[in-house]
Amino acid sequence: MKAVCWQGVNKLSTETVPDPEIRNDQDVIVKVGLSTTCGSDLHLIGGYIPAMEAGDVLGHEFLGEVVEVGPGVGRHKVGDRVVVASFIGCGRCWYCENDLWSLCDNTNTNPGITSVAYGYEPGGIFGYSHAMGGFRGSHAEYIRVPFADYGAFPVPPEVDDHSALFVSDSVPTGWMGADLGGVRPGDVVAVWGCGAVGQMAARAAILLGAERVFSIDRIPERLAMTERHIGSEVIDYSSTDVGAELREHTGGRGPDVCIEAVGMEAHSAGPHHVYDQVKQQLRLQSDRPTAVREAIHACRKGGTVFVLGVFGGLVDKFPLGAVINKGLTVRGAQQHGQRYIPMLLDRIAGGEISTRHLVTHELSLDEGAKGYELFKHKEDGCVRAVFDPSRVVGDPRATGVGRSGTGYA
Ligand SMILES: [Zn+2]
Ligand SMILES: [Zn+2]
């Protein structure tokens, strides 16, 4: 089968790789319908997260059709249309039983690297390096889904593929930021980043009753899209002082909950950014935490900062003094998708959350490298490049429901 493979730092290619097979009786094989790029893939492609090997298949946010079922699978049959959580949870360990799915104790088949770096290893995730289990990713024609009874969810017929795709990762990640960030009715919430995850965090904050939600970015198309589809207020950080503007909207107090949805390759203006970028490129620090610092600074005293952006290791100039002296709660997590996915599919079916607009570009698997170029550089208004294995290069079908005039709203 065809698959988009990592070949080395900033080098991707589409290769023919062996078809996946059932290896465990709780596996299913899914024929991939759609699979999307994610900002966290860029850290792998750029070599910021080690433990990638040439030939690794990328991709962790996908949906498709069940084509083969292991003998121990009870909840799925051939022909089911399913969306699959990006993190793999066994469903039986202490963490899975406590709905902390991305912390599963049993699915990271290669725990050595992260247990040294972090103290304990997180769970396994599709297409996310050998440090996270070495599972083959979803930018392929087929994928093996372990523990399918827990990680794969039937998609209701009224939810189309382009909408359901993001329930694999971005929608539950965003929801979790607002939920575990403790957003309450009447709160003011600020979200850094208007990519898919940031947009979903803002929407979740609105649905959880926040009185005002501010989304912060610098890309005009993303700000416009967020305003239109999410309904939050937007702040362009390239043209204003974000901290001052947030204070102005909150009677000088600052937001109750600040959600960071940018990650380790954050961009910003100013000398700290240059310092971080140089240190990161020299591998003296692994992550650039610009948006995290800004969120900690902007948050009201006693508020909560939730980190959704992916960080791999160590950061420099972390404002611990502000955390202590302002009495902040700082939290972060990789997504516990299995906890939220059925509820989120219902909300999409009911029209409370819209996701289709995120698909700005649709490509074939042969265009894997091109898709990531568009996505990385945010070219041509790209928010998410989506791979459809049934497409061919130069496919006459329209590309990107989010770009058609009527695709919005
Ligand atoms: Zn992701
Ligand atoms: Zn588990």
Side-chain angles (χ1 to χ4, degrees):
M1 67 167 185
K2 265 185 203 173
V4 179
C5 301
W6 187 89
Q7 299 294 12
V9 173
N10 293 322
K11 234 175 98 192
L12 298 180
S13 63
T14 302
E15 303 289 336
T16 300
V17 302
D19 287 353
E21 292 170 356
I22 300 273
R23 283 168 57 182
N24 180 299
D25 64 2
Q26 298 167 67
D27 292 348
V28 301
I29 302 295
V30 167
K31 180 172 191 264
V32 177
L34 294 173
S35 178
T36 176
T37 57
C38 168
S40 63
D41 296 332
L42 300 177
H43 316 325
L44 300 174
I45 294 169
Y48 293 110
I49 291 179
M52 288 295 286
E53 289 171 18
D56 283 350
V57 180
L58 289 168
H60 58 260
E61 193 160 359
F62 63 102
L63 100 177
E65 183 190 330
V66 175
V67 291
E68 212 182 322
V69 178
V73 173
R75 295 182 194 158
H76 299 289
K77 58 181 193 317
V78 169
D80 285 356
R81 189 166 68 113
V82 293
V83 62
V84 180
S86 60
F87 265 86
I88 305 165
C90 75
R92 298 168 182 81
C93 73
W94 187 90
Y95 291 98
C96 290
E97 284 186 343
N98 283 280
D99 251 352
L100 300 166
W101 294 84
S102 65
L103 308 179
C104 176
D105 251 344
N106 290 324
T107 54
N108 190 338
T109 52
N110 191 13
I113 302 167
T114 42
S115 61
V116 170
Y118 304 153
Y120 301 92
E121 72 283 2
I125 177 171
F126 295 102
Y128 216 83
S129 90
H130 294 267
M132 305 294 270
F135 293 94
R136 264 209 207 149
S138 56
H139 298 338
E141 291 175 87
Y142 297 92
I143 184 168
R144 181 176 76 94
V145 175
F147 300 109
D149 277 345
Y150 300 100
F153 295 84
V155 179
E158 61 271 35
V159 179
D160 62 55
D161 284 3
H162 291 81
S163 300
L165 167 63
F166 299 99
V167 180
S168 180
D169 187 312
S170 334
V171 191
T173 302
W175 190 276
M176 180 187 71
D179 178 33
L180 302 188
V183 172
R184 290 184 302 186
D187 277 355
V188 176
V189 177
V191 181
W192 275 257
C194 288
V197 170
Q199 289 189 34
M200 291 304 125
R203 187 66 196 158
I206 291 169
L207 292 170
L208 289 169
E211 192 175 297
R212 294 187 81 174
V213 178
F214 297 95
S215 294
I216 302 157
D217 206 298
R218 75 187 153 104
I219 312 279
E221 302 94 299
R222 292 190 177 201
L223 291 165
M225 181 185 266
T226 305
E227 216 169 6
R228 185 164 184 184
H229 292 280
I230 302 303
S232 54
E233 300 170 64
V234 297
I235 297 176
D236 176 354
Y237 73 73
S238 66
S239 67
T240 187
D241 177 339
V242 172
E245 189 153 340
L246 289 172
R247 276 195 298 281
E248 197 178 307
H249 292 306
T250 52
R253 200 165 65 197
D256 302 287
V257 178
C258 292
I259 298 172
E260 187 272 355
V262 178
M264 62 195 273
E265 293 178 64
H267 175 276
S268 81
H272 268 156
H273 178 66
V274 177
Y275 170 90
D276 283 331
Q277 195 169 22
V278 169
K279 285 201 83 165
Q280 190 177 40
Q281 281 170 358
L282 295 173
R283 302 296 192 263
L284 294 173
Q285 72 174 351
S286 49
D287 304 344
R288 290 203 305 261
T290 322
V292 178
R293 287 191 199 118
E294 198 168 88
I296 287 174
H297 201 76
C299 193
R300 76 154 163 82
K301 293 182 280 186
T304 298
V305 174
F306 202 99
V307 181
L308 287 177
V310 170
F311 290 84
L314 306 175
V315 303
D316 218 13
K317 300 232 175 333
F318 181 78
L320 188 57
V323 174
I324 307 295
N325 291 294
K326 283 168 65 182
L328 300 180
T329 301
V330 179
R331 293 190 73 172
Q334 297 271 20
Q335 68 132 350
H336 305 310
Q338 287 85 338
R339 166 175 184 167
Y340 300 114
I341 286 174
M343 173 273 289
L344 293 169
L345 285 167
D346 284 349
R347 286 185 188 264
I348 290 175
E352 286 183 65
I353 299 173
S354 116
T355 49
R356 271 171 70 81
H357 65 275
L358 299 169
V359 183
T360 51
H361 295 75
E362 289 176 80
L363 300 107
S364 67
L365 288 172
D366 286 315
E367 297 163 297
K370 178 182 166 193
Y372 274 101
E373 279 300 300
L374 282 165
F375 176 60
K376 178 178 178 179
H377 300 294
K378 306 176 176 79
E379 280 166 24
D380 191 29
C382 185
V383 174
R384 283 296 180 96
V386 171
F387 300 113
D388 173 350
S390 76
R391 291 183 86 94
V392 293
V393 180
D395 203 287
R397 285 176 286 172
T399 174
V401 292
R403 291 200 304 166
S404 64
T406 51
Y408 275 30

